[in-house]
Amino acid sequence: MSPVIDRAVQAGLITSDGRVMDVPAALRYRRDDPLAVRACFPPRASLAGADVTWVFSRDLLAAGLLEPVGDGDVHVRPFGPLVTVLEFHAAAGTALVRMDSADVRRFLEQTYALVPFGREELHLDLDGDLAALLREA
């Protein structure tokens, strides 16, 4: 199995007037970063006209399928049984994005097949990460 999961999903960017603009997006997961997922959006989904990637906890995404979670820059919540809403907070404003909950579940199942829940520490390279931080300092 590849050490990277890259799942294309159809997302709906909820505009300030309540309309939904369909945008292609991707959910990404890397075995070498086992605690995080990435939600990647194309330039037309951003105010700056550039690709946007949000990085947040895999556990947050999973919990958000069941109940509203998040207290920082990223919040996730179910919107009925079929839709999951991701809320991204930045200095420029807030973006609300809806995704099909079944797509999110399938993505998470793939990530758990790659790195099972509770086994993330086996895939962390703490020594390598610490060395990289010290090189940057």
Side-chain angles (χ1 to χ4, degrees):
M1 180 177 276
S2 169
V4 176
I5 295 168
D6 194 357
R7 183 172 188 85
V9 294
Q10 188 62 38
L13 179 62
I14 303 169
T15 64
S16 59
D17 62 2
R19 291 181 296 119
V20 177
M21 180 175 79
D22 288 335
V23 294
L27 293 174
R28 294 194 177 120
Y29 181 80
R30 297 188 345 228
R31 183 172 31 211
D32 66 350
D33 192 6
L35 298 172
V37 296
R38 289 160 175 75
C40 307
F41 301 95
R44 71 182 182 108
S46 96
L47 294 173
D51 288 333
V52 174
T53 298
W54 285 86
V55 181
F56 52 97
S57 161
R58 177 171 73 164
D59 291 347
L60 180 80
L61 184 61
L65 286 169
L66 304 173
E67 64 183 353
V69 293
D71 58 5
D73 293 341
V74 180
H75 298 236
V76 184
R77 67 178 178 271
F79 189 75
L82 302 177
V83 175
T84 299
V85 174
L86 290 82
E87 185 175 322
F88 302 105
H89 296 264
T94 300
L96 293 173
V97 177
R98 69 179 194 180
M99 292 184 182
D100 180 26
S101 296
D103 285 343
V104 175
R105 277 189 203 89
R106 281 190 289 275
F107 168 75
L108 286 168
E109 287 168 3
Q110 289 178 306
T111 72
Y112 293 131
L114 186 63
V115 177
F117 176 77
R119 305 300 301 247
E120 295 88 354
E121 74 280 353
L122 299 176
H123 299 276
L124 292 172
D125 179 13
L126 297 178
D127 292 335
D129 291 342
L130 180 58
L133 282 173
L134 293 174
R135 279 192 301 275
E136 293 174 13

